[in-house]
Amino acid sequence: MAKYLILIYGDASEWGAMTEEQWVAHGAAHEKFAAAAGAKVLGGAELESSAVAATTLRTDSSSGRVTTTDGPFLETKEAVGGYYLLEAADLDEAIALAELLPEVHASHSGVEIRPVVQNG
């Protein structure tokens, strides 16, 4: 079985504007995903908004010192809002499960599936 990281992207302002009813439906869709994936979900979490709590580390090329900045490094409308670590037989199975996530079907969000490198 291979491992896949499912990164959930979206527009934080759109998530922030969701009604209570929309959040309930959103949560139900994540529960449907979790039920379908079962033990194949190895972990996952919603992330704090990058506008509220993100720290970026970079090495300054001229000084060689690590600099710390508040917020994400890239200015982008979409940010990572959560993730799942999934174990699946292959990419096709990971895609089939990820298609259950509500972010795939919303106009302001989407998911990225990345295979986890298995060293050793």
Side-chain angles (χ1 to χ4, degrees):
M1 295 284 266
K3 291 181 183 169
Y4 296 91
L5 184 63
I6 298 174
L7 297 166
I8 300 170
Y9 289 90
D11 183 336
S13 65
E14 293 282 341
W15 283 327
M18 287 171 59
T19 66
E20 181 65 29
E21 183 177 273
Q22 289 171 317
W23 274 114
V24 168
H26 189 83
H30 276 274
E31 288 174 12
K32 182 178 177 182
F33 164 80
K40 293 176 182 181
V41 175
L42 304 176
E46 179 180 356
L47 301 176
E48 189 66 61
S49 167
S50 62
V52 174
T55 303
T56 300
L57 302 175
R58 297 273 179 196
T59 299
D60 182 288
S61 59
S62 60
S63 69
R65 294 186 184 156
V66 174
T67 59
T68 305
T69 56
D70 291 335
F73 181 71
L74 299 175
E75 289 296 324
T76 180
K77 188 173 184 176
E78 288 188 341
V80 179
Y83 69 94
Y84 285 102
L85 180 59
L86 185 72
E87 193 168 54
D90 54 30
L91 180 59
D92 290 336
E93 182 180 22
I95 290 170
L97 290 168
E99 284 178 348
L100 298 172
L101 293 168
E103 291 83 4
V104 172
H105 306 284
S107 63
H108 64 87
S109 58
V111 303
E112 178 181 346
I113 302 172
R114 303 274 305 270
V116 175
V117 174
Q118 309 259 352
N119 292 320

